[in-house]
Amino acid sequence: MIILAATPIGNLGDASRRLVEALENATVVAAEDTRTTQRLLAALGVDNRPRLVALHDHNEKERSGVLVALARDDEGEGGSGGRQATGTPPGYALVALAAAEGVTVTAIPGPSAVVTALAVSGLPTDRFTFEGFVPRKPGDRRAWLRAVATEPRTMVFFESPSRVAASLADMADAFGADRSAAVCRELTKLHEEVRRGTLAELAAWAQDGVRGEIVVVVAGAAPRAVDFDDAVSQVTELVGSGVRLKDAAAEVAGHTGHSSRELYQAVLARRA
């Protein structure tokens, strides 16, 4: 069995009883940082000394096979009837391989920086999208942000404290200075702080420096009041610049609220 175990994001009091029990019984623990895992085991009073395996983006494909093989060991240690590999946290490659090999995968739910930040942001929570880490290089970051500028759902981003000021400034340029957002830092920890405001206000605040682990939550784009004929013209212009008609219709539909199918058909009708 492979257990996907959610560990505390800051406050050890958030560790569940199931997590402690899983760590007490695991023969293998796969984690992004094994040194952090050792400190976690000690802090939680776990006496078990499982085999620790580093599992991260750079070695996941290679290590996943090893972990799945360990989880399939029917004999286990001392004939105990199977091994447990507890990932904290593994990636989708491990889960996909385990599922393909018929290895049972279960999860111990728990703290999530994404959901916690969303909950305290004061922004809409009914629909949201997690965008992951913002690109490091300025050019890549700006192009990436422009690509999601018309996303109507609340967006959640991870960012490092050293780059959050630059990212907030680029977000203000790409999304609009008045777009509402929240910067959540050190969630569940002693110095937890949630700063809310417009992207312009938050970018100015961050210029003085921000410390800790950062999650940025940004409101989705509001539908624009665009006449249908004008929206069709926008699609036509995008197609003229080299964008596929289907993609152009979807892009314009995203920021105007019009149906992409109707826009698509209207452009075809104009060509007839």
Side-chain angles (χ1 to χ4, degrees), residues 92 149 174 195:
Y92 74 91
R195 179 76 59 158

Side-chain angles (χ1 to χ4, degrees), residues 8-245:
I9 60 176
N11 191 320
L12 288 176
D14 293 332
S16 69
R17 182 177 299 178
R18 283 187 65 202
L19 170 64
V20 176
E21 291 176 352
L23 293 173
E24 284 283 11
N25 294 310
T27 56
V28 178
V29 171
E32 186 174 10
D33 188 331
T34 56
R35 291 171 298 181
T36 299
T37 301
Q38 288 176 325
R39 292 194 291 270
L40 176 66
L41 293 174
L44 295 178
V46 175
D47 295 327
N48 184 27
R49 291 294 178 266
R51 173 184 172 184
L52 300 181
V53 176
L55 182 69
H56 44 71
D57 288 342
H58 301 295
N59 71 359
E60 185 178 349
K61 289 185 178 179
E62 171 192 346
R63 294 286 172 84
S64 292
V66 174
L67 292 170
V68 169
L70 289 172
R72 292 186 66 180
D73 182 1
D74 292 335
E75 294 301 319
E77 290 192 351
S80 59
R83 292 177 181 264
Q84 291 182 328
T86 305
T88 54
Y92 74 91
L94 172 61
V95 177
L97 180 60
E101 295 291 331
V103 172
T104 299
V105 179
T106 187
I108 299 175
S112 164
V114 174
V115 176
T116 301
L118 182 69
V120 301
S121 68
L123 297 172
T125 61
D126 53 338
R127 299 178 68 213
F128 70 94
T129 173
F130 173 55
E131 299 295 340
F133 279 95
V134 179
R136 295 187 178 190
K137 296 181 179 179
D140 294 341
R141 179 171 62 240
R142 290 165 190 152
W144 185 71
L145 291 173
R146 286 196 298 270
V148 297
T150 59
E151 169 59 59
R153 296 169 293 184
T154 301
M155 295 173 285
V156 184
F157 305 86
F158 284 166
E159 186 52 290
S160 74
S162 62
R163 292 190 300 273
V164 67
S167 287
L168 287 169
D170 287 342
M171 287 179 184
D173 289 338
F175 302 158
D178 293 333
R179 183 85 69 94
S180 296
V183 176
C184 310
R185 70 178 196 90
E186 295 294 271
L187 288 170
T188 76
K189 299 179 183 178
L190 179 63
H191 299 292
E192 175 180 299
E193 179 182 15
V194 179
R195 179 76 59 158
R196 305 176 184 87
T198 66
L199 283 170
E201 292 169 343
L202 293 172
W205 162 75
Q207 290 298 320
D208 293 333
V210 182
R211 295 182 179 180
E213 295 185 346
I214 307 294
V215 184
V216 179
V217 186
V218 182
R224 299 176 186 176
V226 177
D227 179 82
F228 183 76
D229 287 339
D230 290 338
V232 174
S233 296
Q234 291 182 23
V235 176
T236 303
E237 290 176 6
L238 286 173
V239 172
S241 67
V243 180
R244 289 196 315 161
L245 175 55

